[in-house]
Amino acid sequence: MLMIGTGNKAVALAVRDAKPVVVAAYPITPQTEIVEEIANYVTDGSMDARYIPVESEHSSMAACIGAAATGVRTFTATSSHGLVYMCEMLHMSAGARLPIVMANANRALGPGWNIGAEQSDSLSMRDTGWLQCYVSTAQEAYDTAFMAFRIAEHESVLLPVMINLDGFLLTHITQPFETVDPEGFLPPTNTPHAIDINHPGGYGTLTKGTEHFRFRWDIERGMRDSVAVIQEVEEAFAGRYGRRYDMVEEYRCEDAEVVIIAMGTLGKEMEVAVDILREEGVRAGSIRIRWFRPFPAIDLAGREVVVIDRDYSFGFGGVLANELRAKCGCRPFSVIAGLGGQEVTYDDIASFVRIRTEGGEHWFGVDA
Amino acid sequence: MYEIRLHSRGGQGGVTAAKVLAYAAFLDGKYATATPLYGAERRGAPVVSFIRVDDTPIRVYSQIRTPDLVIVLDHSIMQTVDVTAGLREDGVVLVNSPHPVEVKGHTTYTVDLTSIALSLKMVLAGNPILNTPLIGAIAKMGIISRESAEKAIAETFSDERNVMAARKAFEELKI
């Protein structure tokens, strides 16, 4: 059904259509609309789920862990301080191989208090074992949140998935999007290690180094295998519903000499900057990274790279820039922009390309 | 792309007006986005919303700097905020005011939305409801169709007076 609504509403509808059995939630700006909408669907009967209002984000993830451990589909949503408050439970859910799906509205962490868009919250949860996807439109938010359940629950993956939306910029914008007929796309959950009261066993018990090591390796194996699963699910989605996604979204890259790389809404707005630069005779292109974990293989050989981070790893650099340096062996011009919802326009993005230096770093609005 | 910047005061329904306007444009078969600009708003403080309408998907999330149309839901805002900042040379202004307002260098339309709301006793928490009559005025300017305007309002609000208010504003605005 074609409609118009906010990014938050798109996520809530995707969750409705995925039919989770348990949703545990605690409200936080700017994701609150997601769990409010879901609460409405449960109340009006359009969703047959158990909705558990909890007292904190640590508890919302704990409730999802308990529910997912019984083998049922679960969902929660959070943002910023809520996300980092559930940090311990993020490690727990990935370690226990529970395919929980969560939406995170990317928002700055205080102090100073700020509710604007920033990706430092989810990127600081980089090493928890969660898959992470960054979306750029309400349509992509709906489609990806819906697909996320099939990816997380796949027998080769069995890891939780976090869908990230830029706070306010995407959570609160009203855009057209289309929901799908969900029937048959998501197979029933089949968690091989689900708690079975007829066969009691230990769960999360003490493990020695050797076993622990194997569990860690198994998480990494699931993460590596998830690349093929993501592509398989995105292909199945495209085949049935016509909208195609990939690990990254490339724009005018074929003959590009300089490539802009970013995630989230900046990754969409930068396409307009590419058009402006092309008109000036600059052979520019852009690569929007959708899946950050697992990190995609990107061939940047022979290209100049400008990367925009709406985040920062203090004492090192922009997180995305760091990943690209390590994974692709490039020396990008690293731009730090948009922290705390700082306004960044397509003209600004075009200007980043004009002032690029190999291996340089530029703090937008701070550096002259 | 047609870009609209809407100035209002917190509590006047500007954010909802932006959504309904985008919805009406969507019903016309256009691609439309509506974005509220969040800050430290409170009731009565000046707030801004942005609406973009185009024939193709809109890839821009940043604020509107050079609007084609500026809408002012409360003319007193013009004393403290430069509502014409960045307005395109051929840009148009629409003001809710009981008296004709002139903005130098720009075609300016005036419509008394407040009186329309009060005549229908449309008041919420002490504020006249301005967003639905506003949609009627915008339809008169030809930015959205009258049919889509009425459909968008009827599907958003159950109270029939909202569509009546839009019709009244459509009739009263002189183009």
Side-chain angles (χ1 to χ4, degrees), chain A residues 4 136 174 251 269 275 343, chain B residues 23 34 59 61-63 65:
Chain A
I4 189 164
S136 67
T174 298
Y251 182 70
E269 181 138 353
D275 293 344
E343 171 81 345
Chain B
Y23 185 36
R59 301 174 293 179
Y61 289 84
S62 51
Q63 297 168 27
R65 300 300 170 93

Side-chain angles (χ1 to χ4, degrees), chain A residues 2-4 6 33 136-137 168-170 172-176 251 265 268-269 271-272 275 343-346, chain B residues 1 3 19 22-24 26 30-36 38-39 52 58-66:
Chain A
L2 186 61
M3 62 172 75
I4 189 164
T6 61
E33 188 189 2
S136 67
T137 64
F168 293 106
L169 294 168
L170 183 51
H172 282 61
I173 195 172
T174 298
Q175 285 180 337
Y251 182 70
T265 52
K268 186 55 75 179
E269 181 138 353
E271 293 181 2
V272 182
D275 293 344
E343 171 81 345
V344 184
T345 68
Y346 49 82
Chain B
M1 184 152 60
E3 297 187 307
K19 282 189 185 186
Y23 185 36
F26 167 74
K30 305 276 187 167
Y31 197 96
T33 64
T35 316
Y38 283 88
R52 289 185 165 98
I58 295 161
R59 301 174 293 179
V60 182
Y61 289 84
S62 51
Q63 297 168 27
I64 291 173
R65 300 300 170 93
T66 53

Side-chain angles (χ1 to χ4, degrees), chain B residues 47-60:
Chain B
V47 291
V48 180
S49 299
F50 305 108
I51 303 99
R52 289 185 165 98
V53 181
D54 207 347
D55 295 322
T56 54
I58 295 161
R59 301 174 293 179
V60 182

Side-chain angles (χ1 to χ4, degrees), chain A residues 126-171:
Chain A
R126 186 189 62 177
D127 302 335
T128 54
W130 279 64
L131 278 68
Q132 288 196 10
C133 188
Y134 292 77
V135 298
S136 67
T137 64
Q139 183 70 69
E140 189 187 357
Y142 174 88
D143 294 344
T144 309
F146 180 63
M147 283 189 279
F149 291 92
R150 182 158 155 184
I151 295 165
E153 294 163 6
H154 193 282
E155 58 180 0
S156 307
V157 180
L158 287 170
L159 285 169
V161 176
M162 189 189 301
I163 311 298
N164 292 282
L165 309 76
D166 282 331
F168 293 106
L169 294 168
L170 183 51
T171 58

